[in-house]
Each structure stands twice: as structure tokens, then as C-alpha cells.
Amino acid sequence: MKSKINGDTVRWGILGVGDVCEVKSAPAMQKIAHSNVVAVMRRNGEKAKDYANRHGIETWYDDADTLINDPNVNAIYIATPPNAHCDLTIKAAKSGKPVYVEKPMARTTEECKKMIEACKMANVPLYIAYYRRRLPNFEKLKELLDEGVIGDLRMVKIEMLKTIDPDIVAHITGSMPVNWRTDPEVAGGGYFFDLAAHQLDYLDYVLGPIKSVSGHATNQARLYKAADIVSSSFVFENGIIGSGTWCFTVDKVSEKDEMIFIGSKGQIRLPFFGLSKLFIEKEDGHVETLEFEMPHHIQQPLIQTVIDDLLGKGVCPSTGETAIRTNWVMEEMTKNYYLN
């Protein structure tokens, strides 16, 4: 495979060094061999400078175009909220630099299409940060399903019920108006787009594309603009049936985070965002529990595949071509709310 960057080291420039860059992603870019963060940017220059100082990065900017065109940068990581993903990806592609974009890929499928087209026109790769594709528990789950440990897979069920301040959203402010995740103009579709995106992308990875979707979404609690409850049924191209329910305004007693794969010879349960465990249940009542240790920098295994891909040493499993399918599924599930 041929290297896709200029040089033998990926020199990252990061747009939007917010919370996700503190531990989850950017530090891994500084630890992986043949990778380094050379410049960061935030619209608030003082915050950009503070991040750079704390993480040992020499260059910081308060302007996206300046970072994108920095000649010392040969790859761009877009870690902004989704409303900026499309425009920044197009600019990065026009500069001739590969792009790694936070999830969800964009607010809409149409924006995703524009991002893919821009990168194709510029002949640069586009990667999306669906990092569960490379975490050990989810890789093991894929292995178990591929090996037929629970027989022929019949269906998959998702149930995600959370309170108004979801514990799985790392930096809730407690003030809904300033939380961008609940503003459709910024996030695309509330907590559902932020969290279900991970679940639906993973299902695409292990079961293949979804071919048909029906869904209902509404806003029951009226605490913000985005839909706060979604229910859907869907069918994969291979005939496996799926269903899901997501609600973000339940009482604590009703909280739940579970995905279940049901086969002809048993089932596998897991908390998707919670404990890193898999529960394999068979007809005889025996439950086998598998527990996994997660990497400190949760995106590091996927970022390693991005760097390998850029250096011509491997392939990244999460690209614009795979991620657009998840955006399409989420749009189909919620279009009765957002298109009315």
C-alpha cells in the first residue's frame, strides 16, 4: 500500500480542541508511533493557547483556515460539533489533506454526501470517529457472532432509557440552552443523534447495511428543541430484524442501556455505553460473563488504524462511505419529527 500523506509521520492539526480532545482522542495521536499533534485551533484563542500549553503543542490558532493551510500540518482532525463538520471537511479536502471527523459524521445525509464528494474530488481519505469498531469488547462480540456462538442470528434489540442529565454525556452543563447536543441546528438531532449513532454504526459493522427503516420520534417533555424519544424497527440486507427504543426523559428508576443479539441457540447481552462486559446466555440457563479492559484513550485503537492507513500499512474500518449509512438510518427513524 502507498502512503497517503507527505512524509513518514502524520502531523495532525486539530480543529476544535474541546472536551473530547482532553483524554479520548488527541493524546493518542501524540503517543502512537509516526504520529504527532503539531497545531490546534479554537475560536477562543485563550482556550486554544491553554490547551496547547497543557499538552505540549507548539502552535495554536483561533482561525480554522489558518490551521488548515499550515504547511507543517499534513492531516486534519475535526473535533467540533456536527454543524461545522461539512464546511471544514470541504476546506480540508481542498487543501489536499486527509480528514478524521468526529461522529456523527454530519447533521444530515446531504451534508455527508458533500463531504464524501469533496474528498473524492481532492483524492484524500475521509475517516469518521466511530471508535467502537476497534474496542476489545466490541471486536470480541463481532467474533462471537461471526463464529455462530448463539446460532443463526434472528434479531437485535436496543433499549436506551436515560434521565434528562444522561450520565454518559461527559460534560453536561446542567443548563439545557447551552448544551449543543440538544440543539438540532448544531447537533442534527439531540442525544439520539449523539448516542444512537454509535449503536447503529456498530450494527452496520457487524451485521451489514440496513435496507429499510420505519420510526417515530417526538418531543414529549418539551425541555429542548430536539426529539427526546425515538422508536424504530429496521431490517438489514441479510434479513435480520432490528428494533430500538430511545428516551432521554425517564426517571432514574427506569434507566436502561442494553443491546441484545438473539440467535437460534442463545443470546448475547451487553450494556453498550456502560460496563465493558458481555453476557452469553444459553438454553441450559448458564450465563458466561466476559469482561474487558478499555484503553485509557478510548479512540486510540481506531486512530491507530487511521495512521496505519495513511502510512500505507493497514486499513481503517470507519470511513465516510460507511458512516453516511448511519446518518441515513437516523434520518429515516426521525423524519416524521424533523421534516414536519
Side-chain angles (χ1 to χ4, degrees):
M1 294 174 64
K2 185 179 178 181
S3 176
K4 300 174 182 178
I5 59 166
N6 179 24
D8 59 2
T9 298
V10 183
R11 302 187 304 275
W12 293 101
I14 303 178
L15 300 172
V17 279
D19 287 2
V20 72
C21 292
E22 290 294 342
V23 178
K24 286 185 175 182
S25 58
M29 294 172 168
Q30 294 173 282
K31 291 184 176 181
I32 296 172
H34 304 289
S35 171
N36 192 25
V37 178
V38 299
V40 297
M41 172 269 166
R42 284 189 74 161
R43 288 179 297 177
N44 184 317
E46 285 303 312
K47 290 184 177 180
K49 180 180 179 181
D50 173 68
Y51 183 93
N53 289 340
R54 288 187 292 106
H55 290 271
I57 299 164
E58 291 187 2
T59 306
W60 60 270
Y61 300 107
D62 59 7
D63 177 73
D65 291 340
T66 307
L67 180 140
I68 289 170
N69 293 303
D70 183 333
N72 195 36
V73 170
N74 65 5
I76 305 293
Y77 170 30
I78 299 173
T80 65
N83 63 319
H85 289 182
C86 183
D87 288 345
L88 292 176
T89 296
I90 292 171
K91 288 183 177 183
K94 287 181 177 178
S95 77
K97 297 173 183 180
V99 194
Y100 179 59
V101 184
E102 269 303 323
K103 44 59 57 188
M105 181 175 171
R107 293 175 297 181
T108 66
T109 303
E110 190 58 36
E111 287 184 340
C112 294
K113 289 178 181 177
K114 292 178 181 178
M115 294 162 68
I116 291 171
E117 182 61 25
C119 290
K120 281 185 176 179
M121 289 287 291
N123 195 31
V124 298
L126 173 60
Y127 312 102
I128 312 300
Y130 282 118
Y131 54 85
R132 279 172 174 77
R133 289 181 174 227
R134 278 296 178 265
L135 288 181
N137 54 334
F138 291 101
E139 289 215 286
K140 182 62 175 180
L141 174 55
K142 185 179 188 303
E143 178 185 317
L144 294 171
L145 295 172
D146 289 345
E147 291 176 352
V149 169
I150 56 171
D152 297 327
L153 194 59
R154 304 299 190 209
M155 66 184 72
V156 59
K157 298 170 64 177
I158 303 170
E159 194 168 10
M160 186 172 190
L161 310 177
K162 287 292 176 180
T163 66
I164 189 63
D165 291 336
D167 54 0
I168 48 180
V169 177
H171 62 287
I172 291 296
T173 65
S175 176
M176 289 300 111
V178 299
N179 180 11
W180 62 262
R181 288 176 174 81
T182 59
D183 183 351
E185 291 299 315
V186 178
Y191 289 129
F192 175 75
F193 269 49
D194 189 44
L195 299 171
H198 272 301
Q199 298 166 317
L200 295 167
D201 173 79
Y202 180 71
L203 292 181
D204 180 280
Y205 179 53
V206 295
L207 303 181
I210 291 172
K211 69 176 182 179
S212 64
V213 188
S214 64
H216 297 278
T218 191
N219 185 314
Q220 292 180 330
R222 303 294 177 187
L223 296 172
Y224 45 73
K225 292 181 180 179
D228 58 19
I229 184 169
V230 179
S231 179
S232 177
S233 60
F234 42 97
V235 182
F236 294 86
E237 288 182 355
N238 57 16
I240 294 169
I241 300 293
S243 64
T245 303
W246 297 262
C247 183
F248 301 98
T249 58
V250 302
D251 185 78
K252 194 169 182 62
V253 72
S254 302
E255 281 194 307
K256 195 169 188 179
D257 166 25
E258 186 173 70
M259 183 178 285
I260 306 177
F261 293 84
I262 300 172
S264 59
K265 297 180 180 179
Q267 66 179 26
I268 300 175
R269 293 188 296 109
L270 69 148
F272 197 89
F273 293 99
L275 298 173
S276 303
K277 292 183 178 182
L278 301 178
F279 303 95
I280 306 169
E281 303 172 340
K282 295 295 188 70
E283 181 183 15
D284 59 7
H286 175 70
V287 178
E288 181 181 359
T289 302
L290 304 180
E291 190 166 1
F292 302 83
E293 183 177 351
M294 293 295 102
H296 179 61
H297 306 298
I298 202 74
Q299 292 196 28
Q300 185 162 343
L302 181 68
I303 291 171
Q304 179 71 67
T305 72
V306 172
I307 291 163
D308 289 345
D309 194 288
L310 289 174
L311 297 176
K313 299 177 181 179
V315 176
C316 175
S318 183
T319 67
E321 297 288 354
T322 63
I324 190 175
R325 298 197 292 262
T326 292
N327 266 82
W328 174 79
V329 170
M330 293 192 296
E331 279 189 1
E332 289 296 301
M333 291 180 175
T334 59
K335 65 183 180 181
N336 76 291
Y337 181 76
Y338 291 110
L339 298 183
N340 285 344

